Amino acid sequence: MYAKLELNTFRIIRNNFKNLIIVTALFLTGCSLTFPEPDASNQTILIIPVETRQTLDLFVFTLDVSIEDSKSKEVIHHTIEPNPKMLFSYNTQLKPGKYKITEMNRKAKPGFKLGGKPRPERISEIGEFELEKGKITIIDKMFLFQQPKPGKKRERKDMRNMTDAQRMQERKKQKAERKAEQKAMKEQRVRFAQVVDLEESFKTKLLEELKEVDNIDLWKLE
């Protein structure tokens, strides 16, 4: 009986050990990126270079960009997700032709709010580009994402038991603190999202990352 129990215990440990090896291997190797295969729905691949400089634990927004067909003037919306581990965002749903990226707009992720009233920003830095059938096209500009470091959170005081004079004094103090915070944010000179030149060194890293895509050989890479 004891021998049978020991045998069953050994089998359980052995199976768990095998599972642990498999999980560890998957964890260490990770999952590689795969592009859709070229077909009627996926005729082109647009690569938008992206650099994410993260100062907070996570980004609270995504960026919606408007891609306009130069011929039909149809606008296609593409969402870019800030991610320090990715050097690009891509779209495979555009037909061959000439396009422009005309506008960008920050949108809060579910459960978060953005300060102020984010409004669409016109984009003039990115020139017209052409997408060709079966080819990967990389635009010559880059989206740079940043989030400024927040200052120390202000404590709100309970003013219910204050006199009118004390309330007025407290409101003046809070107003001064808000102005100081806004000034500190401006001094960081950080824009949440902006279009900048694509540096050659960054493009080299991007191309190396693209070459790691499993089925990259199905597409023509410039």
Side-chain angles (χ1 to χ4, degrees), residues 15-159:
N15 290 336
N16 287 340
F17 184 71
K18 285 181 179 179
N19 291 337
L20 179 61
I21 292 175
I22 293 171
V23 171
T24 304
L26 289 172
F27 176 77
L28 292 175
T29 57
C31 296
S32 56
L33 178 66
T34 301
F35 286 149
E37 295 186 7
D39 56 25
S41 300
N42 304 285
Q43 298 183 33
T44 68
I45 294 183
L46 170 64
I47 298 292
I48 302 174
V50 177
E51 182 179 0
T52 304
R53 297 176 185 173
Q54 190 164 348
T55 57
L56 303 179
D57 291 337
L58 54 84
F59 270 78
V60 299
F61 67 87
T62 58
L63 191 72
D64 182 80
V65 297
S66 300
I67 305 174
E68 183 182 285
D69 186 314
S70 298
K71 186 176 181 180
S72 67
K73 303 303 179 184
E74 178 187 1
V75 174
I76 299 92
H77 293 281
H78 174 78
T79 299
I80 301 177
E81 178 88 20
N83 182 352
K85 296 181 180 179
M86 286 292 291
L87 302 181
F88 62 90
S89 177
Y90 70 94
N91 189 303
T92 64
Q93 300 300 303
L94 300 171
K95 303 296 183 184
K98 294 183 179 181
Y99 294 86
K100 291 180 181 179
I101 297 179
T102 58
E103 201 172 73
M104 63 181 179
N105 188 22
R106 284 191 305 131
K107 292 187 177 180
K109 289 184 177 180
F112 294 95
K113 289 184 179 180
L114 300 180
K117 294 182 179 180
R119 297 178 180 177
E121 295 182 43
R122 297 292 298 176
I123 296 176
S124 58
E125 298 91 342
I126 302 175
E128 185 180 64
F129 54 88
E130 185 172 3
L131 300 180
E132 299 178 29
K133 188 174 182 179
K135 183 180 177 181
I136 296 174
T137 301
I138 305 172
I139 63 172
D140 60 359
K141 296 290 181 178
M142 177 176 71
F143 282 87
L144 174 62
F145 291 110
Q146 301 177 93
Q147 282 188 147
K149 294 181 180 179
K152 186 178 179 181
K153 190 174 182 180
R154 288 182 286 109
E155 295 182 2
R156 298 181 66 87
K157 288 190 176 181
D158 187 353
M159 295 190 288

Side-chain angles (χ1 to χ4, degrees), residues 166-177:
Q166 288 174 327
R167 289 194 190 96
M168 186 177 294
Q169 185 66 27
E170 183 61 28
R171 290 192 183 102
K172 286 182 179 179
K173 181 182 176 182
Q174 291 178 0
K175 186 176 181 180
E177 288 176 349

